[in-house]
Amino acid sequence: MEEKQFAGILNGAVPGEPVKKDENTRRGNWGNQIEFVLTSVGYAVGLGNVWRFPYLCYRNGGGAFMLPYFIMLVFCGIPLFFLELSFGQFASQGCLGVWKISPMFKGVGYGMMVVSTYIGIYYNVVICIAFYYFFMSMTNLLPWTYCNNPWNTPDCVGVVSSSSQINSSLANATTSLVAGVSEVVNRTKRTSPSEEYWKHYVLNISDDIGNFGEVRLPILGCLAISWFVVFLCLIRGVKSSGKVVYFTATFPYVVLTILFIRGITLDGAINGIKYYLTPQWQKVLDAKVWGDAASQIFYSLGCAWGGLITMASYNKFHNNCFRDSIIISITNCATSVYAGFVIFSILGFMAHHLNVPVSEVADHGPGLAFVAYPEALTLLPISPLWSLLFFFMLILLGLGTQFCLLETLVTAIVDEIGTDWIIRNKTVVTLSVAVAGFLLGVPLTTQAGIYWLLLMDNYAASFSLVIISCIMCICIMYIYGHRNYFKDVEMMLGFPPPLFFKVCWRFISPVIISFILIFTVIQYKPITYNDYVYPGWSLAIGFAMALSSVVCIPIYGLFKISRSPGATFRERLKAACQAHPKWGPALREHRTGRYAPMASEETAEARTFKEKEELKEEQKEEEKEKKEEISLTIQGSNGSTNTHNNPNPSA
């Protein structure tokens, strides 16, 4: 019996139930489970794994940071990931439809949609800049190699001698060059050609967030390409995106491996990796390190964005999402650690070349992706090749996340309207959302676009995600009831959630989420970009964006209470919190146990069916009688029963 149950667990089926095709013909399903896993990996593994985690790791104690990081993964990341996957898979609904579990909290779903909208707008702008750098790398000489360009300033100091050949090895670089560069670096803050290319040519950055200037047409064109690619991959929903992810989710690992092998063979690479991993155990006692670890796990896995619920809603009902959540979460975190080796091996090589500490060249965010790392690549032989690979990897990492963000919005809209027309014309909805996303992203391609992009990145999806996730946990575990939800999971998977996950869902994860929220508030600092300090009015807009997703929850809650039946507020509140009658598995064949239709419903359906059958029988009897009358009439006139020759009985 145990072997049979174990086999059922492995294939995601309920023990004892025959394996059968369980296709939701109305919404559609993934072609197979590999598509779902790859899509979820592509969603969770994004740009943050490459440009944020390595920086956090070296800043927070190197290898010592791994301890709180993996503890937070086990107690917060994987449980929340499993909760969202099981939530969406059980109801087979997007981030709005699942809130039939407790209609008053449907505002949480709207909050998820708002967050996904903000992230989808600015995330595609980052992808389009990666597209731009990718196209600019299709040359014999990377344009950010030297300081002899029209956009360079007198402060520019390159790391490659203009007299040296492009493909010459570093061993042939003169000692005087290295000494001269090191002297400049130590005397003043060096302005690199890659930084000036980024600021003065790609962005042509303005002096203030309110000074939009002109639209950067090359960036706008790349934004159009980026949105077109996303739309094309989602033109048939999960049926088309499920095929695309075979490439977009796997090829970044090929590129990472190529860059890693290239990186560790360079001089100084070991110093960079040591800087990345050398543990500083005293920092483990610092609360900030634990806060950074919890925040990175939470944001990296994409919890509370609505994407996990949406992707899981296209699973077959008995899929083993427990297994999937562990595989995807561990893959995401392992990718972050692996990317750190790739980044710091190259940065260590650059620091060795400049004869400066690794901390002088380390950076994060756009500064790492579009300034520090591209500059390090100019030092390599055949640098355009490595640049093409690096930016192609960034494009694929970004697209994997962007697919799910767009699908989250489209699925929520289609499920909410739910008419046959909207389901048949889902492609039109996808196109409309993509066009709207492109138009809303146009201001981010102006000369002040980078200011707005960073503002959205820091505020639109910060503490609001934490609040949304915390309320979701409370609603499912305490409003709907943990016992009810555990039974739902057991009904779906064939086994109850392990005790560890029950404890985490009810107690540990909400406490850690609350800790992240408190930590975020305490550690808050007004956003800056290099030396630019954001004005107060722009920070107010940032907070408004953050609150716009959270405020959906109380507004919809009050609306639902006002529309619920009841004489007193308490009765209305109770009615608004109760699960909707349609809550449960989407397909009738899965609505068993407490979700089975009530006897009265079955009787009513049987009665309706019986009445229809009786009506059909009566109609048949009437038709039969008419035919007999016609036959008798014709026989009386000519003795023939051939009604085809004389269809008119009066003849």
Side-chain angles (χ1 to χ4, degrees):
M1 182 65 183
E2 290 178 358
E3 292 178 358
K4 189 175 181 181
Q5 183 175 359
F6 184 70
I9 292 172
L10 285 179
N11 64 24
V14 171
E17 183 182 72
V19 179
K20 59 182 179 180
K21 187 176 180 181
D22 179 14
E23 188 73 18
N24 189 330
T25 54
R26 186 173 174 81
R27 294 181 84 249
N29 293 91
W30 296 105
N32 56 60
Q33 243 6 73
I34 296 176
E35 292 182 7
F36 166 68
V37 172
L38 289 178
T39 301
S40 300
V41 167
Y43 173 65
V45 177
L47 298 173
N49 297 70
V50 174
W51 74 18
R52 179 168 167 80
F53 174 81
Y55 176 82
L56 282 178
C57 192
Y58 98 79
R59 192 183 73 179
N60 287 308
F65 181 70
M66 301 292 182
L67 177 64
Y69 183 72
F70 283 106
I71 287 177
M72 290 299 175
L73 169 66
V74 171
F75 288 96
C76 183
I78 296 177
L80 287 178
F81 206 90
F82 180 31
L83 180 66
E84 291 201 28
L85 289 190
S86 60
F87 193 25
Q89 181 175 307
F90 183 77
S92 297
Q93 291 284 310
C95 62
L96 288 181
V98 291
W99 292 103
K100 290 183 178 71
I101 192 172
S102 185
M104 192 183 88
F105 290 89
K106 192 175 181 178
V108 175
Y110 284 109
M112 290 177 173
M113 284 187 68
V114 172
V115 168
S116 290
T117 301
Y118 286 138
I119 297 174
I121 291 169
Y122 79 78
Y123 210 82
N124 229 12
V125 175
V126 177
I127 297 171
C128 87
I129 296 174
F131 264 113
Y132 181 77
Y133 270 82
F134 177 76
F135 294 140
M136 291 298 102
S137 299
M138 296 178 180
T139 176
N140 293 326
L141 177 66
L142 293 176
W144 56 85
T145 304
Y146 300 122
C147 290
N148 57 355
N149 301 292
W151 59 81
N152 292 126
T153 66
D155 296 330
C156 179
V157 178
V159 294
V160 179
S161 171
S162 58
S163 60
S164 64
Q165 297 299 317
I166 301 168
N167 295 329
S168 63
S169 65
L170 273 185
N172 297 328
T174 60
T175 307
S176 58
L177 171 67
V178 176
V181 171
S182 300
E183 182 181 353
V184 172
V185 170
N186 293 329
R187 187 175 68 250
T188 60
K189 175 68 174 175
R190 183 177 68 89
T191 305
S192 66
S194 62
E195 183 178 355
E196 294 200 346
Y197 179 77
W198 163 248
K199 292 174 68 174
H200 303 316
Y201 185 76
V202 178
L203 302 178
N204 194 12
I205 192 169
S206 65
D207 57 353
D208 186 70
I209 188 173
N211 182 13
F212 284 92
E214 62 182 10
V215 172
R216 302 290 296 147
L217 293 179
I219 303 298
L220 182 65
C222 290
L223 182 63
I225 292 173
S226 183
W227 274 110
F228 179 72
V229 170
V230 173
F231 166 70
L232 212 59
C233 294
L234 286 172
I235 194 166
R236 292 181 57 238
V238 296
K239 293 298 183 185
S240 54
S241 66
K243 304 299 181 289
V244 174
V245 293
Y246 280 107
F247 179 73
T248 60
T250 56
F251 195 73
Y253 292 97
V254 177
V255 178
L256 278 173
T257 303
I258 293 171
L259 292 174
F260 173 68
I261 294 171
R262 170 72 265 200
I264 59 174
T265 59
L266 299 170
D267 294 334
I270 300 301
N271 294 332
I273 292 173
K274 283 181 179 177
Y275 192 80
Y276 167 53
L277 288 180
T278 301
Q280 303 171 36
W281 293 109
Q282 69 277 10
K283 288 199 172 185
V284 175
L285 302 176
D286 188 354
K288 186 177 184 304
V289 174
W290 289 84
D292 279 344
S295 300
Q296 177 62 15
I297 283 290
F298 184 82
Y299 295 124
S300 176
L301 289 173
C303 298
W305 290 17
L308 297 177
I309 294 173
T310 302
M311 295 302 105
S313 72
Y314 291 101
N315 278 333
K316 293 178 181 178
F317 184 73
H318 292 307
N319 169 62
N320 191 343
C321 58
F322 170 65
R323 170 201 58 200
D324 295 342
S325 62
I326 295 175
I327 292 173
I328 297 163
S329 301
I330 292 177
T331 301
N332 173 68
C333 296
T335 304
S336 297
V337 176
Y338 187 38
F341 285 96
V342 176
I343 297 298
F344 274 91
S345 60
I346 298 288
L347 294 182
F349 159 67
M350 184 178 176
H352 172 77
H353 175 68
L354 295 174
N355 197 23
V356 297
V358 178
S359 58
E360 290 280 337
V361 296
D363 203 348
H364 70 291
L368 171 67
F370 302 118
V371 178
Y373 205 83
E375 182 180 19
L377 294 176
T378 62
L379 299 170
L380 298 177
I382 328 176
S383 54
L385 172 64
W386 308 113
S387 182
L388 280 169
L389 285 173
F390 176 70
F391 287 111
F392 189 54
M393 178 189 70
L394 289 187
I395 290 168
L396 295 182
L397 288 174
L399 287 176
T401 303
Q402 190 68 20
F403 291 158
C404 297
L405 290 170
L406 184 60
E407 185 61 42
T408 297
L409 297 174
V410 172
T411 298
I413 294 169
V414 171
D415 284 351
E416 185 67 9
I417 297 173
T419 62
D420 291 335
W421 184 91
I422 203 81
I423 291 172
R424 284 196 309 270
N425 294 276
K426 187 178 177 181
T427 303
V428 177
V429 181
T430 306
L431 178 62
S432 303
V433 175
V435 170
F438 169 74
L439 295 176
L440 291 170
V442 170
L444 302 184
T445 64
T446 63
Q447 290 176 263
I450 189 66
Y451 298 124
W452 290 99
L453 189 151
L454 293 173
L455 186 73
M456 294 180 74
D457 184 39
N458 279 269
Y459 289 92
S462 56
F463 67 86
S464 55
L465 284 177
V466 185
I467 295 173
I468 288 172
S469 185
C470 190
I471 293 176
M472 183 179 69
C473 278
I474 292 171
C475 172
I476 296 175
M477 290 295 110
Y478 296 100
I479 305 299
Y480 177 63
H482 62 276
R483 290 187 182 87
N484 289 333
Y485 194 72
F486 297 160
K487 289 177 182 177
D488 291 344
V489 173
E490 183 175 6
M491 171 184 168
M492 178 172 64
L493 300 183
F495 58 92
L499 178 62
F500 172 77
F501 285 87
K502 292 180 180 180
V503 174
C504 285
W505 286 346
R506 292 187 64 196
F507 307 111
I508 300 177
S509 295
V511 169
I512 293 177
I513 295 171
S514 302
F515 165 70
I516 296 172
L517 179 60
I518 295 169
F519 171 78
T520 304
V521 173
I522 293 175
Q523 293 291 322
Y524 170 76
K525 292 179 182 177
I527 182 178
T528 60
Y529 178 60
N530 294 335
D531 297 328
Y532 176 75
V533 179
Y534 279 68
W537 63 267
S538 64
L539 298 180
I541 292 177
F543 278 110
M545 283 192 290
L547 291 173
S548 63
S549 56
V550 178
V551 78
C552 295
I553 302 171
I555 289 177
Y556 189 86
L558 292 172
F559 166 76
K560 191 64 183 177
I561 292 171
S562 67
R563 300 294 296 271
S564 298
T568 64
F569 177 80
R570 186 174 180 179
E571 290 176 358
R572 290 172 177 266
L573 178 63
K574 186 177 180 180
C577 291
Q578 286 180 343
H580 192 276
K582 290 186 178 180
W583 161 251
L587 298 181
R588 185 177 181 83
E589 63 192 87
H590 297 139
R591 296 184 74 90
T592 58
R594 60 200 181 95
Y595 292 104
M598 301 295 289
S600 58
E601 294 178 15
E602 291 181 343
T603 305
E605 289 181 5
R607 187 185 302 118
T608 305
F609 180 76
K610 188 176 180 181
E611 288 173 356
K612 288 181 179 178
E613 289 297 317
E614 288 177 353
L615 185 61
K616 287 180 181 178
E617 288 296 328
E618 289 177 3
Q619 290 175 346
K620 286 181 181 179
E621 289 293 333
E622 289 177 1
E623 289 176 1
K624 190 176 179 181
E625 289 175 1
K626 286 181 180 179
K627 286 181 180 179
E628 288 176 354
E629 290 176 3
I630 292 171
S631 176
L632 289 171
T633 305
I634 294 174
Q635 281 180 348
S637 61
N638 58 14
S640 174
T641 58
N642 188 350
T643 58
H644 297 288
N645 294 332
N646 193 5
N648 189 352
S650 61

